[in-house]
């Protein structure tokens, strides 16, 4: 576990234990499901989209600490943002966790999401961390299909 020490930072543990926005959103007008078969993570995402803005967002699901914490922090990060802002945030986040930015992504612009920067060293965990974001994209694009990371 010591190798994962840095990965499971306090903020991630906190969000996995008491996920924010963890409920069904009755007034949601967008919905998508995500599945990461590699780890068994599952998420249902609810979005209330109005005038191209994410007015409200919530999720339900089961999975590992990383996937749950990521979903929790994603919902906090994109609430009250426009779809374009959310997409830009996803792109930054994705570059950070895949290591594509090669350390060039400034975590400052990601706020609390920077807690996931260590994930890039654990390729198997990248899908756990990005599942909620892929599911968000599907919900915003109004795709009905279930998203799979495979
Ligand atoms: Zn997982």
């Amino acid at each position: 576990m010591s190798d994962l020490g840095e990965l499971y930072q306090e903020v991630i543990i906190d969000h996995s234990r008491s996920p924010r926005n963890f409920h069904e959103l009755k007034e949601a007008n967008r919905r998508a499901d995500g599945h990461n078969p590699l780890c068994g993570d599952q998420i249902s995402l609810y979005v209330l989209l109005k005038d191209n803005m994410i007015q409200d967002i919530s999720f339900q699901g089961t999975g590992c600490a990383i996937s749950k914490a990521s979903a929790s922090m994603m919902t906090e990060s994109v609430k009250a943002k426009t779809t374009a802002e959310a997409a830009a945030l996803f792109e930054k986040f994705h570059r950070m966790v895949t290591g594509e930015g090669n350390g060039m992504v400034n975590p400052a612009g990601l706020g609390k999401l920077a807690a996931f920067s260590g994930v890039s060293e654990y390729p198997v965990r990248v899908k756990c961390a990005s599942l909620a974001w892929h599911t968000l994209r599907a919900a915003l694009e109004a795709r009905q299909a279930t998203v799979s990371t495979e």
Side-chain angles (χ1 to χ4, degrees):
M1 277 305 279
S2 63
D3 274 351
L4 290 169
E6 218 182 317
L7 184 60
Y8 287 83
Q9 288 176 22
E10 216 171 298
V11 60
I12 294 180
I13 292 170
D14 174 45
H15 274 265
S16 67
R17 282 188 185 154
S18 22
R20 320 300 199 268
N21 306 307
F22 191 73
H23 56 86
E24 195 184 332
L25 189 65
K26 297 259 186 283
E27 56 275 35
N29 53 13
R30 297 293 176 92
R31 243 211 77 162
D33 295 314
H35 183 213
N36 172 19
L38 207 64
C39 179
D41 308 317
Q42 230 149 3
I43 175 179
S44 295
L45 196 66
Y46 308 88
V47 182
L48 175 62
L49 194 69
K50 222 183 202 174
D51 302 327
N52 247 2
M53 178 178 290
I54 299 166
Q55 303 268 336
D56 207 355
I57 180 166
S58 73
F59 78 104
Q60 286 184 312
T62 55
C64 65
I66 294 287
S67 71
K68 222 184 229 181
S70 178
S72 171
M73 288 163 76
M74 182 277 286
T75 57
E76 278 199 324
S77 309
V78 302
K79 207 185 265 192
K81 287 213 164 48
T82 65
T83 53
E85 286 168 340
L89 202 55
F90 176 33
E91 190 159 314
K92 262 195 219 170
F93 180 83
H94 197 254
R95 250 186 282 150
M96 178 182 72
V97 295
T98 55
E100 257 177 64
N102 204 16
M104 295 303 284
V105 174
N106 182 3
L110 283 165
K112 266 198 287 184
L113 296 173
F116 291 96
S117 59
V119 168
S120 64
E121 287 167 44
Y122 306 88
V124 142
R125 292 294 184 198
V126 171
K127 289 180 176 178
C128 303
S130 52
L131 176 65
W133 290 89
H134 284 293
T135 311
L136 171 68
R137 189 163 63 185
L140 295 181
E141 288 173 0
R143 273 191 272 130
Q144 291 302 307
T146 297
V147 175
S148 174
T149 55
E150 289 303 290

